[in-house]
Each structure stands twice: as structure tokens, then as C-alpha cells.
Amino acid sequence: VYGATQKLQTFIDALSNWYVRRSRERFWSAGWNDDKAGALFTLYDVLVETSKLIAPFTPFFAETMYQNLVIGLEREEETTPEESVHLTSFPKPNLAEIDEDLSSRIQIVRAVVSLGLQARTQAKQRVRQPLRSAKIIAESAEARAAITRHEEMIREELNVLGVEVITGAQVRELVDYVIKPSFRALGQRGLGKEAQQIKAVMAKTSVEDIAAMHTELGKTGKITVSGIELTAADLEISFTTKEGFAAAGAQVGVVVLETKLDEELLDLGLVRELLNRLQNARKEMELDYTDRILVTISGSPRVRRVLVAHRDAMMTEVLAVEIAIAEIADSAEIDVDGEMVKLSVIRAPR
């Protein structure tokens, strides 16, 4: 039971945090087109099948999902669905529908994004603050191809202005690798005594040779030190970054973020924070996702300058008919990224 529920949890997390979140623009696009239909019909089918998958574990919640999705739906076809999710057959996989190439590529993209977010956390840079660039060294041709093909997705997920795939030599200009033996892992292999010898050898190894070891680990999954074959599980690998950069690495490669901020990036960060406040206002007003809003904002000259520069993009993002820059008398000031701002949000007439 535990193993099955872990797989369901992983799947639902991916469905929510990747498919649904990244398909929002497809769901919200004006009018009706094939892309919007494909996004909605796919989500519908997945949710119906999910209600069947979770039925043995959360029977009442699954039944509620099924009643809302299937029984409560007006349908044109003559076939009558089962009246309860618990009367349906448990889903069977259709292996012919699995796109192995796409799955592999997105798995690489998600691994790269995860590393980039780790680097952000280390640098104490919040996700809504745009950064200048993400430089990625990929350990395989497959990874490099996936990153290049889905560069825009990685850029959006990491909130950076640019993504660049670089070579091992270039990454060494930004970070230094630190590789140490894992005494616990080597002890379990009966190599506790040899671990001290490996540590001494690595302490005398040049930065360039340590970087070469890391590259070899990525390519073959193993290196040899003092005649002893070691895998990544036998080692503790970390990075020392140069000033203005943060890095994280794993088997897929290394992601290096440029963390230095300038006026342009700070202004873009303010835009993201303003959008966040407007989205929160929509939620508090319990608006339908298709409802349009009228927004009025007042603030410092910097706030006004940022709004003028990014007004059209902001209106699209929060479904605003208008974002007016005007003084607001009867509204409390809120702190938005260090700027005191007044916001007024009302539902636009339909």
C-alpha cells in the first residue's frame, strides 16, 4: 500500500506543479482553439482516471471527484457511465501512448530546474527575483539536447533572463569542485583504512584534476583513486563558487546561477512582487479564473516607472482590463519589495 501511494503522490505532484501550472496560459486563452481544447480534455481524462486510481485509498474523496466529473456532466453520447467510481474497472496502462523521448527530456529538464532552485536557496535569492543567467554544464549529449530544446521552459522555471550550456572548462571559471571520500560509505565497503589514504591523495590533487574527476564521474559513474574504484555514493561532492555565482550539481550536470543584481533585475523583481499581490487580491475576492479586473496603483516614482514599462504584460498576467496609476485615498499602504504601495482591485463589469 505504501509503495503504491508514494507513486500516486509523485504523480499528482507532477500533475499539479508541472502540467497544470505550466498550462495555465492554455487554459485561460481567449476563445476556443485546438490547443486549449487539447489542454482541457487531457486534464479532464487524467482527473477521471486519477479518481479511479485513488479509489482504493481515499474512497470518499475519489467518489466526490467522480460524481463531479462524470455523473454531474451533461453528455451527448448514448453510453451511460457507471454510477459510482467503485463500480468502474481499475485503469490499465496503455503503453502505446507513452512518449518515451518526451518523458526522458522532461525528466532531465526537471532535474536541471531542481538544481537551479537549490542554487537559488544557497544564494538566498527568492524565486520571484529574476537573475541574469543560468549556465549549465550537462554530462551527456542527451542532457545537452534536452536543455537546448527546452531552454525557454528552463528559463521561465528558474526566472532567469538567459540560459547557456557551457563546457567543463568554462564552468571551472565560475566554480571549484570539492570531492572528499565518504568515510561512512567506504567503511560499509570495508575500506575504512583506505579512506584516510584517499583523503590524503585528494587533498594534494590540483583543482583542474579534481574537476576532471567530476567530469569522469558524470560520464562513467566512477573514478579510480590510489587503485580503488569509487562511485558517486562513495564520495561527498560540493562546490566552492566564485563571487557573484551560486551552483548546485548532480548526475545530470551542474547549474551555475549569476546572482549579482542590477537596476534592471531589481525592477523586474518589483514587477513580480506586484503581480503576486494582485493575484492574492484575486484569490481573496474569490474571483472566477475568467473574471477581469480593474486595478489602480499608487506609489513612488520608481513604482510608477516600473508600471509604465511593464503595464501591458502585467495586465495580461492578472487578466486586468486596465491598470491605472493614480492616487488612492482610502487604502492602506503595503510593503512591496521595499516600496510602499497602495492597491485597489475591483471586478470589471462583464
Side-chain angles (χ1 to χ4, degrees):
V1 170
Y2 178 76
T5 54
Q6 287 297 102
K7 290 181 181 296
L8 284 169
Q9 182 174 327
T10 300
F11 167 73
I12 291 170
D13 177 70
L15 174 66
S16 174
N17 291 323
W18 280 85
Y19 182 76
V20 172
R21 181 174 56 81
R22 289 206 55 84
S23 297
R24 284 181 299 183
E25 291 185 5
R26 301 172 69 193
F27 298 145
W28 294 351
S29 63
W32 185 257
N33 52 56
D34 289 344
D35 185 59
K36 183 173 184 176
L40 290 170
F41 286 137
T42 297
L43 180 59
Y44 177 81
D45 286 345
V46 169
L47 290 176
V48 171
E49 295 303 296
T50 298
S51 72
K52 300 174 185 178
L53 289 170
I54 67 175
F57 308 100
T58 54
F60 299 107
F61 182 73
E63 183 66 14
T64 299
M65 281 184 65
Y66 184 82
Q67 292 295 321
N68 290 338
L69 290 165
V70 179
I71 304 304
L73 181 71
E74 294 184 8
R75 56 184 64 249
E76 297 178 358
E77 60 264 31
E78 297 179 0
T79 57
T80 302
E82 297 288 357
E83 61 182 291
S84 168
V85 69
H86 302 291
L87 298 178
T88 64
S89 298
F90 197 76
K92 294 180 180 180
N94 184 353
L95 301 182
E97 292 294 323
I98 298 176
D99 188 331
E100 295 287 358
D101 176 60
L102 177 62
S103 296
S104 176
R105 283 190 275 113
I106 297 303
Q107 187 175 6
I108 290 170
V109 168
R110 292 181 64 183
V112 168
V113 169
S114 178
L115 289 176
L117 295 178
Q118 286 181 39
R120 266 189 177 273
T121 300
Q122 294 170 14
K124 298 181 180 179
Q125 291 285 359
R126 64 187 188 278
V127 175
R128 284 196 292 271
Q129 172 59 60
L131 299 178
R132 180 64 56 189
S133 68
K135 303 179 188 298
I136 305 168
I137 176 169
E139 299 293 357
S140 68
E142 180 188 15
R144 290 190 291 272
I147 293 166
T148 301
R149 182 164 181 175
H150 298 288
E151 179 181 317
E152 182 179 358
M153 184 187 297
I154 295 172
R155 179 177 56 78
E156 292 174 353
E157 289 295 315
L158 294 183
N159 194 14
V160 295
L161 302 190
V163 171
E164 181 185 3
V165 179
I166 62 176
T167 65
Q170 289 174 297
V171 81
R172 289 195 288 275
E173 297 174 2
L174 309 175
V175 302
D176 289 329
Y177 297 101
V178 179
I179 302 179
K180 299 178 181 179
S182 169
F183 288 93
R184 180 178 180 180
L186 291 174
Q188 291 175 344
R189 289 180 56 186
L191 298 173
K193 183 177 180 181
E194 289 81 353
Q196 291 292 346
Q197 179 183 351
I198 294 171
K199 179 182 178 181
V201 170
M202 286 186 166
K204 298 177 182 178
T205 303
S206 67
V207 172
E208 291 76 16
D209 288 342
I210 289 290
M213 286 182 181
H214 186 271
T215 300
E216 184 66 19
L217 269 174
K219 290 180 177 179
T220 67
K222 58 187 178 181
I223 58 174
T224 300
V225 180
S226 296
I228 301 171
E229 188 176 278
L230 304 170
T231 67
D234 300 319
L235 301 165
E236 296 176 359
I237 303 172
S238 59
F239 303 89
T240 302
T241 57
K242 307 293 172 60
E243 186 176 357
F245 297 92
Q251 187 173 356
V252 70
V254 180
V255 177
V256 183
L257 297 182
E258 187 177 354
T259 57
K260 185 178 180 180
L261 301 178
D262 54 28
E263 184 177 288
E264 178 190 11
L265 293 172
L266 291 171
D267 283 354
L268 290 172
L270 177 57
V271 170
R272 291 297 185 95
E273 294 295 341
L274 286 168
L275 288 172
N276 176 255
R277 300 305 192 279
L278 293 174
Q279 295 287 22
N280 287 340
R282 289 184 62 97
K283 292 178 182 177
E284 292 171 3
M285 295 168 66
E286 298 183 348
L287 298 180
D288 187 79
Y289 77 93
T290 59
D291 284 338
R292 267 40 180 181
I293 57 176
L294 296 170
V295 178
T296 305
I297 301 178
S298 65
S300 68
R302 180 192 174 211
V303 171
R304 293 195 292 272
R305 170 171 56 81
V306 167
L307 287 172
V308 169
H310 300 279
R311 178 164 17 201
D312 290 346
M314 293 178 66
M315 288 171 57
T316 300
E317 185 74 17
V318 298
L319 299 183
V321 175
E322 177 60 52
I323 295 182
I325 305 171
E327 292 300 320
I328 305 173
D330 55 346
S331 179
E333 283 190 319
I334 59 174
D335 187 322
V336 181
D337 200 25
E339 296 284 347
M340 300 310 296
V341 177
K342 289 185 177 181
L343 294 176
S344 170
V345 180
I346 60 174
R347 180 188 284 109
R350 295 184 177 179

